[in-house]
Amino acid sequence: MKNYMNGKLVDGKGKKFTVYNPENGEAITDITGIDKKQTEEVLAAAQAAFITWSALSLNKREKYILKFVNVIEAHKDKIVEMLIEETGKTYGNAIEDYQMLPDCLRYFISEAKAQKDEMIPDYDNKHINMIIKKPRGVIVGYLAWNFPLLNVGYKLGPVLASGCTCILKPSSQTPITTLYIGELAIEAGIPAGVVNIITGDNSVVGTVLNESTIPQMITLIGSSFTGKKIMQQAATSIKYYSLELGGNAPVIVAADADVEKAATCVVNGKTGNAGQVCVAPNRVFVHKHIKEKFIKKAVEMLSNITYGSGKPQGEGLYMQPMSSMKAVENMEELVKDAVEKGATVLSGGKKADRAGYFFEPTLLTGVTKEMRVYKEEIFGPIIPVIEMDDTDDLKALANDTEYGLAAYLYTTSLNMGLSLSREIDAGTVCVNEPFFCYNLPHGGCKQSGIGKDCSTFSLEEYYFVQRISIVIE
């Protein structure tokens, strides 16, 4: 695979790295990233392309974008196959990941066409005051490994629709499918320099991108640690940031909840993508009167897990591998820490006895605040269950974290659903069912980041607001 720079496929001159198949641990391919000089060249290319791309009418940009969508959809089968190989996803998960790219490209150009310029009233009747929105400029986007094409859609959609240009850097764990999208951009006739997709050593490429004064905005889907590091490096100039970072989603299962539905949603949330989802349920607070029923249903579901990638055979839930052996080892360390501090393993708890990076989906009881599974983002198939009762302050339990990305509440009480959800500090609160879509704002508060992905709120971040005042003679 080659890097996509300034409209061409380019061999990197930097560090070589290997991409592995998580299902079996075998190497897929070696990729050579770009070096410092090439990074400087791609920044210059994106800056030059911005002049012409931003000047195009919305109708002309729309034609380019919709042709790009058509090309992407014509290669759907190959894209999904590549995605499964490098991520280990199940087929259904890969389809959902893929579909977000064409959906976002269509959605954001539609939203851009719906944007309106505004007039501000003049207090002395001597001026006409207009508000217009202009594209920010060059955008640098860092993409996470867990949903490669969803990540591309979240960033590329508003970039192209707004009139910005971009440099996208996928994770070195899952760069193959994203680099292939660069090849398809050539087939679609996207003008050179508008979209650039590159790989490389973060200590070299990432540092050059961050420290450059060319990018007007840096956007990231990643960890809170990485977000802070990027902001520190990028302080060489004033830049705008949109950062979707870590999470530690609370789940409140009230005494009046539909217990089976709550358990089903939690298990699905923790086994889907092997729990490697920023909004996955994390700290599961269950009322003591229904705790045993909740656990029974959850353990029953976990016992029917079928491991595999692509289209695994067998009944029950399908669960893909984790991203790496390091990720598996992190799960083992989290379980060990919890058990040493008093937790009980009711299901799973160790690496699955098979090839690849599979970890048994795990349910822990007796979880306390001192345990890492309570305090940290787990990012894997571990369900920590914490008992609660009527004396607990549910608002305090939910907000007992430095993160604020997502939260979940299960109750049949409309009053509780409305009142408690307003008190929880999280960018998204879902009541009785997880629900996410590209037209709904996605992002967090506190250490979970700033800005939004998806929805018109995201698109607005790719513009800056200009005020024009004209005196009336």
Side-chain angles (χ1 to χ4, degrees):
M1 301 298 296
K2 297 185 178 183
N3 298 276
Y4 174 55
M5 296 171 50
N6 201 18
K8 299 178 181 179
L9 299 179
V10 177
D11 289 318
K13 298 178 181 178
K15 186 177 180 180
K16 180 181 291 187
F17 58 94
T18 303
V19 182
Y20 295 90
N21 184 332
E23 184 184 24
N24 52 34
E26 297 177 0
I28 301 173
T29 188
D30 290 332
I31 296 176
T32 303
I34 64 176
D35 63 7
K36 180 179 178 181
K37 183 180 179 182
Q38 288 178 306
T39 307
E40 293 168 346
E41 290 172 353
V42 78
L43 281 163
Q47 185 178 41
F50 173 72
I51 297 172
T52 52
W53 181 252
S54 61
L56 289 181
S57 68
L58 268 173
N59 286 338
K60 289 183 178 179
R61 285 207 297 271
E62 181 181 39
K63 289 179 181 179
Y64 279 113
I65 292 168
L66 295 184
K67 184 178 179 181
F68 197 9
V69 170
N70 290 338
V71 170
I72 290 169
E73 290 181 334
H75 292 78
K76 176 180 177 179
D77 291 343
K78 181 175 180 179
I79 292 171
V80 171
E81 181 182 336
M82 296 170 73
L83 190 62
I84 289 172
E85 184 178 30
E86 71 172 332
T87 64
K89 288 180 181 290
T90 60
Y91 182 76
N93 188 3
I95 289 292
E96 291 177 4
D97 193 347
Y98 158 83
Q99 192 60 49
M100 286 302 293
L101 177 53
D103 283 352
C104 282
L105 289 173
R106 285 195 178 97
Y107 169 77
F108 279 107
I109 188 59
S110 175
E111 281 297 301
K113 293 178 72 175
Q115 296 288 307
K116 295 179 175 64
D117 294 336
E118 301 178 28
M119 301 288 289
I120 295 180
D122 184 52
Y123 292 150
D124 59 9
N125 293 326
K126 292 183 179 180
H127 298 85
I128 296 173
N129 303 302
M130 297 183 294
I131 297 295
I132 65 173
K133 297 176 181 177
K134 302 181 68 173
R136 288 192 180 276
V138 176
I139 312 296
V140 169
Y142 295 103
L143 312 180
W145 48 263
N146 55 343
F147 288 95
L149 293 189
L150 175 148
N151 279 212
V152 175
Y154 279 9
K155 306 306 180 185
L156 194 54
V159 162
L160 295 179
S162 65
C164 294
T165 59
C166 69
I167 301 165
L168 300 181
K169 186 177 184 299
S171 165
S172 59
Q173 286 184 259
T174 56
I176 296 174
T177 314
T178 308
L179 289 172
Y180 184 59
I181 298 302
E183 293 186 31
L184 299 185
I186 298 176
E187 183 177 335
I190 298 296
V194 172
V195 178
N196 303 275
I197 303 174
I198 53 90
T199 61
D201 186 351
N202 278 331
S203 64
V204 177
V205 178
T207 299
V208 173
L209 292 175
N210 295 336
E211 292 182 350
S212 171
T213 59
I214 291 176
Q216 297 301 300
M217 174 176 169
I218 296 181
T219 182
L220 163 74
I221 298 177
S223 70
S224 300
F225 173 82
T226 302
K228 287 184 283 188
K229 182 178 180 181
I230 285 174
M231 293 178 77
Q232 290 171 346
Q233 287 184 336
T236 54
S237 62
I238 302 301
K239 300 178 178 76
Y240 192 90
Y241 299 95
S242 183
L243 311 174
E244 193 261 60
L245 308 177
N248 188 2
V251 182
I252 303 292
V253 186
D256 64 348
D258 181 334
V259 183
E260 292 215 350
K261 181 177 182 180
T264 299
C265 288
V266 169
V267 171
N268 287 339
K270 271 299 190 180
T271 55
N273 213 59
Q276 300 167 125
V277 186
C278 57
V279 294
N282 218 61
R283 297 166 296 134
V284 185
F285 300 97
V286 184
H287 196 281
K288 66 179 182 180
H289 291 163
I290 58 170
K291 187 183 76 169
E292 294 307 316
K293 185 177 181 181
F294 178 94
I295 290 173
K296 181 179 178 182
K297 175 64 177 179
V299 170
E300 176 187 338
M301 291 183 67
L302 295 177
S303 66
N304 288 320
I305 285 292
T306 298
Y307 300 108
S309 177
K311 296 180 179 179
Q313 302 298 312
E315 298 180 356
L317 289 172
Y318 292 157
M319 194 177 83
Q320 69 187 58
M322 303 203 70
S323 62
S324 64
M325 185 54 67
K326 181 180 178 181
V328 172
E329 293 168 353
N330 287 341
M331 294 304 104
E332 292 174 331
E333 291 171 4
L334 288 171
V335 172
K336 179 182 178 181
D337 173 82
V339 170
E340 288 177 348
K341 294 174 181 175
T344 300
V345 178
L346 294 188
S347 178
K350 62 183 185 300
K351 183 185 183 303
D353 186 17
R354 55 168 295 158
Y357 309 140
F358 292 90
F359 185 80
E360 295 178 347
T362 301
L363 190 142
L364 301 172
T365 59
V367 173
T368 63
K369 294 183 178 182
E370 293 73 30
M371 299 174 186
R372 290 179 59 196
V373 290
Y374 184 97
K375 296 182 289 186
E376 300 178 15
E377 181 178 29
I378 295 173
F379 227 67
I382 298 175
I383 303 174
V385 176
I386 305 109
E387 181 181 299
M388 67 177 188
D389 59 32
D390 294 330
T391 65
D392 285 308
D393 182 342
L394 300 184
K395 171 186 173 182
L397 290 177
N399 292 334
D400 186 24
T401 174
E402 65 178 348
Y403 299 104
L405 189 58
Y408 305 94
L409 170 60
Y410 293 89
T411 177
T412 55
S413 167
L414 179 60
N415 181 61
M416 174 182 278
L418 289 173
S419 60
L420 182 56
S421 59
R422 289 171 177 265
E423 295 179 327
I424 295 175
D425 296 330
T428 295
V429 180
C430 294
V431 181
N432 289 331
E433 182 180 73
F435 181 62
F436 298 88
C437 188
Y438 52 80
N439 69 324
L440 300 174
H442 172 63
C445 59
K446 301 192 285 189
Q447 296 304 300
S448 287
I450 53 178
K452 297 293 181 184
D453 284 322
C454 304
S455 81
T456 189
F457 293 97
S458 173
L459 179 61
E460 289 174 358
E461 295 180 358
Y462 291 76
Y463 299 106
F464 71 89
V465 173
Q466 183 181 65
R467 183 257 295 184
I468 301 173
S469 292
I470 304 175
V471 67
I472 303 173
E473 295 294 345

